């Protein structure tokens, strides 16, 4: 009788062990998904048998990649019921395994990311909260289980960068964490072979979008991409990270060398990024071709306002400068897409202001300087501004922008002492009307004094950046300022 009972228990244990198994086929499928080779991954997943939680997770991962790269509302409506199906299937598997809660959380985060892309912020927020609670519980139950820390570390960084006036909300919801804790957890997650590459990429994206991206981080990113030459996702995120940090020539190199072909998932947004880079380089006809191609191939609602705004800029700043045709493009900004992402919000704001009041001729000079500086083409940016001085601009907004642009140009040229007076002047001019140039100038001054190890001044400027209440870049500026304060 005891022998039969022992065999029965062994059978149950063996069955449960199969609930979360990384078979060779699933390992290959996950590797392909990370490269955006979704079709080959789906073929590998279809060949797997049994109710394996790893397969359920990877099926969901494939759907998430399709949704966030296409931005197609119809596809989202078709696939959205799968979240509950996948969660129900995972809940039926062995809850004594450290994998169960991790994969439940991963599925919720997949859908949170997807829902944010489609403007479903409230539902996405609840998915994030539930994922956090699952991962926190798993950490307590299995503290040495490394896969927990990839997403838990990311969430702790997000919670740690919440602006002060929203901290009480996070606490009320039971969300606790800070940036330093999250960074340590992401480093710990990189020790795990399953999620190492993903954890490395998340760590670099956090440094680029929440913290301060350093030259050393850029070298790490370059090495990671060179070691994974067939990984389209890495080339894409590498380009977005470098473009975000004012290194558009490096971003262009990553996109030029990216793997292509029918094996990879289409990424229409790459044409939008290429359009941005060529616009920064003042190559207006090439930029126009990329923005047009994006609008033809893209099925979503994000980046439409941004693309028509950029087409306007190509026409407005280009050699022909036919303002009447450019105005028609700007009117299109008001009728297409949505204002979920910051670039679309900025495009909408510019279009409304321009069509209502027009702009002074000086705006073209400032815009050329801004685009060149944003791309890291500081020689061109300085050349645009050298013939001008503060006194040549009549409007306060233009004076503030002129000073901000010069400050950022010198900051990018590693000349912070020259940059400081311009950024301080931009801040002073912006504060009465709460212009975005003041918030971004304060943020950059915080970074400069942080590098100088002047913690008191750095803290003061980060707090000043947070004090600006209404501007189109508030989310990103506040996240970075909050992260800066946490690091002091």
């Amino acid at each position: 009788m005891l022998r039969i009972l022992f065999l029965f228990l062994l059978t149950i244990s063996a069955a449960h062990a199969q609930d979360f198994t990384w078979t060779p086929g699933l390992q290959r499928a996950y590797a392909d998904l990370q490269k955006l080779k979704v079709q080959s991954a789906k073929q590998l997943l279809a060949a797997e048998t049994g109710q394996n939680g790893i397969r359920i997770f990877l099926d969901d991962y494939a759907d998430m990649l399709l949704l966030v790269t296409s931005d197609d509302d119809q596809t989202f409506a078709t696939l959205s019921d799968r979240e509950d199906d996948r969660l129900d299937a995972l809940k039926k598997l062995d809850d004594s395994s450290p994998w169960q809660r991790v994969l439940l959380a991963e599925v919720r985060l997949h859908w949170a990311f997807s829902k944010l892309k489609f403007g479903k912020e409230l539902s996405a927020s609840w998915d994030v909260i539930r994922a956090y609670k699952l991962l926190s519980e798993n950490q307590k139950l299995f503290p040495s289980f490394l896969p927990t820390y990839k997403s838990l570390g990311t969430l702790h960084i997000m919670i740690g960068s919440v602006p002060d006036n929203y901290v009480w909300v996070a606490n009320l919801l039971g969300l606790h964490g800070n940036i330093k804790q999250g960074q340590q957890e992401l480093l710990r997650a990189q020790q795990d072979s399953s999620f190492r590459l993903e954890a490395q990429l998340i760590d670099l994206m956090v440094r680029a979008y929440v913290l301060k991206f350093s030259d050393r981080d850029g070298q790490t990113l370059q090495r990671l991409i060179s070691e994974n030459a067939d990984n389209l996702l890495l080339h894409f995120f590498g380009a977005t990270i470098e473009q975000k940090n004012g290194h558009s020539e490096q971003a262009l190199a990553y996109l030029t060398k990216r793997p292509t072909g029918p094996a990879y998932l289409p990424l229409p947004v790459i044409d939008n990024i290429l359009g941005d880079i060529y616009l920064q380089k003042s190559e207006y006809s090439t930029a126009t071709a990329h923005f047009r191609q994006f609008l033809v191939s893209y099925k979503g609602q994000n980046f439409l306002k941004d693309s028509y705004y950029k087409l306007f800029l190509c026409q407005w700043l280009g050699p022909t400068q036919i303002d009447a045709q450019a105005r028609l493009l700007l009117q299109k900004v008001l009728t297409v897409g949505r204002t979920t992402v910051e670039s679309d919000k900025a495009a909408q704001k510019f279009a409304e202001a321009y069509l209502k009041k027009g702009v002074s001729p000086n705006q073209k000079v400032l815009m050329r300087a801004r685009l060149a500086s944003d791309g890291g083409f500081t020689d061109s940016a300085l050349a645009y501004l050298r013939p001008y001085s503060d006194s040549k601009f009549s409007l306060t907004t233009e004076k503030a922008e002129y000073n901000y642009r010069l400050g950022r140009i010198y900051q990018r040229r590693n000349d912070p002492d020259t940059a400081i007076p311009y950024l301080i002047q931009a801040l002073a001019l912006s504060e009465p009307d709460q212009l975005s140039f003041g918030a971004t100038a304060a943020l950059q001054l915080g970074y400069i004094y942080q590098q100088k190890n002047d913690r008191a001044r750095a803290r003061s400027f980060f707090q000043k950046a947070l004090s600006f209440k209404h501007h189109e870049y508030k989310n990103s500026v506040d996240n970075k300022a909050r992260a800066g304060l946490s690091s002091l």
Side-chain angles (χ1 to χ4, degrees):
M1 184 69 180
L2 287 173
R3 180 175 292 184
I4 293 172
L5 179 61
F6 179 69
L7 289 172
F8 175 68
L9 291 173
L10 279 179
T11 303
I12 293 174
S13 298
H16 282 173
Q18 296 303 310
D19 282 358
F20 303 98
T21 304
W22 281 96
T23 67
L26 292 175
Q27 289 174 345
R28 290 195 299 273
Y30 184 44
D32 279 354
L33 288 173
Q34 289 181 301
K35 298 173 185 177
L36 292 184
K37 291 184 173 181
V38 173
Q39 196 55 45
S40 61
K42 284 187 172 182
Q43 292 171 356
L44 289 164
L45 292 172
E48 294 291 319
T49 58
Q51 193 72 341
N52 188 338
I54 304 297
R55 183 188 59 76
I56 296 169
F57 154 68
L58 293 179
D59 277 331
D60 199 70
Y61 192 9
D63 285 346
M64 182 269 291
L65 290 173
L66 178 62
L67 288 170
V68 300
T69 56
S70 70
D71 271 356
D72 187 343
D73 286 307
Q74 186 174 350
T75 304
F76 178 76
T78 301
L79 299 181
S80 58
D81 289 342
R82 294 185 181 180
E83 178 183 12
D84 288 338
D85 294 341
R86 303 255 170 73
L87 292 172
D88 289 343
L90 287 169
K91 287 174 184 176
K92 293 175 183 176
L93 302 181
D94 181 14
D95 63 1
S96 67
S97 168
W99 278 109
Q100 195 215 35
R101 289 168 190 80
V102 166
L103 297 186
L104 283 167
E106 290 293 323
V107 168
R108 286 207 176 275
L109 291 174
H110 288 167
W111 287 96
F113 189 30
S114 300
K115 289 170 185 176
L116 284 174
K117 294 279 282 186
F118 292 92
K120 313 289 184 184
E121 289 89 355
L122 183 59
S123 181
S125 298
W126 282 114
D127 271 327
V128 170
I129 292 166
R130 288 165 179 151
Y132 171 84
K133 293 184 182 301
L134 285 162
L135 292 167
S136 296
E137 183 182 2
N138 211 54
Q139 182 190 29
K140 292 175 183 176
L141 292 171
F142 308 101
S144 61
F145 189 63
L146 295 176
T148 303
Y149 294 98
K150 172 182 68 71
S151 293
L152 185 60
T154 306
L155 292 176
H156 281 151
I157 289 169
M158 291 169 59
I159 295 163
S161 60
V162 169
D164 284 334
N165 54 325
Y166 289 107
V167 169
W168 69 272
V169 178
N171 291 337
L172 185 66
L173 294 170
L175 306 179
H176 306 283
N178 59 66
I179 291 170
K180 185 175 181 180
Q181 175 188 5
Q183 285 186 284
Q184 290 172 344
E185 288 167 341
L186 277 178
L187 288 174
R188 190 173 181 187
Q190 292 175 40
Q191 300 171 24
D192 172 64
S193 59
S194 303
F195 291 128
R196 179 178 295 120
L197 182 61
E198 193 174 342
Q200 288 175 316
L201 179 57
I202 291 171
D203 183 45
L204 287 167
M205 292 182 69
V206 164
R207 294 172 187 274
Y209 288 91
V210 180
L211 307 173
K212 189 79 171 65
F213 197 74
S214 67
D215 290 341
R216 184 178 178 181
D217 295 329
Q219 293 165 5
T220 301
L221 176 62
Q222 192 167 8
R223 184 177 68 252
L224 198 61
I225 291 173
S226 66
E227 291 171 353
N228 297 272
D230 64 339
N231 190 312
L232 176 57
L233 189 65
L234 273 179
H235 281 77
F236 168 70
F237 277 122
T240 61
I241 287 171
E242 290 292 10
Q243 187 195 23
K244 173 75 173 176
N245 286 280
H247 303 140
S248 286
E249 205 65 72
Q250 181 62 68
L252 182 59
Y254 287 149
L255 292 181
T256 302
K257 295 176 182 177
R258 75 188 187 275
T260 58
Y264 293 94
L265 200 65
L267 280 179
V269 75
I270 284 178
D271 274 302
N272 181 277
I273 297 170
L274 287 169
D276 267 345
I277 294 170
Y278 285 110
L279 177 59
Q280 292 167 346
K281 291 164 71 75
S282 300
E283 297 181 23
Y284 300 117
S285 60
T286 305
T288 295
H290 282 293
F291 288 126
R292 292 289 185 193
Q293 180 57 39
F294 169 73
L295 291 169
V296 167
S297 57
Y298 179 69
K299 297 179 181 179
Q301 294 297 308
N302 295 317
F303 308 113
L304 295 183
K305 293 179 183 295
D306 175 69
S307 294
Y308 278 105
Y309 164 58
K310 300 294 176 52
L311 284 170
F312 157 80
L313 292 179
C314 291
Q315 183 68 62
W316 190 52
L317 300 175
T320 55
Q321 298 186 19
I322 305 173
D323 285 5
Q325 291 181 12
R327 190 179 181 88
L328 290 175
L329 289 166
L330 208 56
Q331 288 171 339
K332 189 79 172 176
V333 172
L334 303 182
T335 63
V336 300
R338 53 185 169 225
T339 53
T340 301
V341 299
E342 284 189 345
S343 61
D344 286 329
K345 291 177 184 177
Q348 179 85 7
K349 182 178 179 179
F350 181 94
E352 289 172 351
Y354 182 100
L355 294 171
K356 185 177 180 180
K357 301 177 182 177
V359 295
S360 74
N362 289 334
Q363 276 296 314
K364 289 190 178 183
V365 175
L366 292 171
M367 182 60 73
R368 290 190 180 101
R370 171 191 175 177
L371 292 168
S373 174
D374 285 350
F377 307 110
T378 57
D379 288 345
S380 298
L382 270 181
Y384 290 131
L385 293 181
R386 274 199 185 101
Y388 292 80
S389 65
D390 190 295
S391 61
K392 287 193 176 182
F393 297 91
S394 57
L395 301 175
T396 301
T397 54
E398 292 179 347
K399 289 178 183 289
E401 182 171 0
Y402 169 79
N403 282 281
Y404 176 72
R405 297 297 166 210
L406 277 173
R408 288 292 283 135
I409 290 166
Y410 285 113
Q411 186 185 13
R412 290 190 189 281
R413 292 167 76 90
N414 296 316
D415 188 358
D417 292 331
T418 304
I420 286 172
Y422 289 112
L423 292 172
I424 288 175
Q425 179 70 353
L427 174 57
L429 289 165
S430 299
E431 198 160 9
D433 295 322
Q434 293 286 285
L435 302 175
S436 63
F437 305 116
T440 49
L443 177 68
Q444 298 306 324
L445 285 163
Y447 287 143
I448 289 172
Y449 283 108
Q450 186 179 36
Q451 288 179 326
K452 289 176 173 287
N453 204 30
D454 189 335
R455 297 164 67 87
R457 285 187 181 178
R459 182 177 291 105
S460 174
F461 282 117
F462 286 138
Q463 289 170 341
K464 179 64 72 174
L466 288 169
S467 73
F468 280 72
K469 300 302 181 186
H470 303 290
H471 59 92
E472 60 270 34
Y473 304 110
K474 184 165 179 60
N475 286 341
S476 60
V477 169
D478 282 8
N479 283 342
K480 284 180 173 288
R482 178 70 176 170
L485 286 169
S486 297
S487 66
L488 292 174

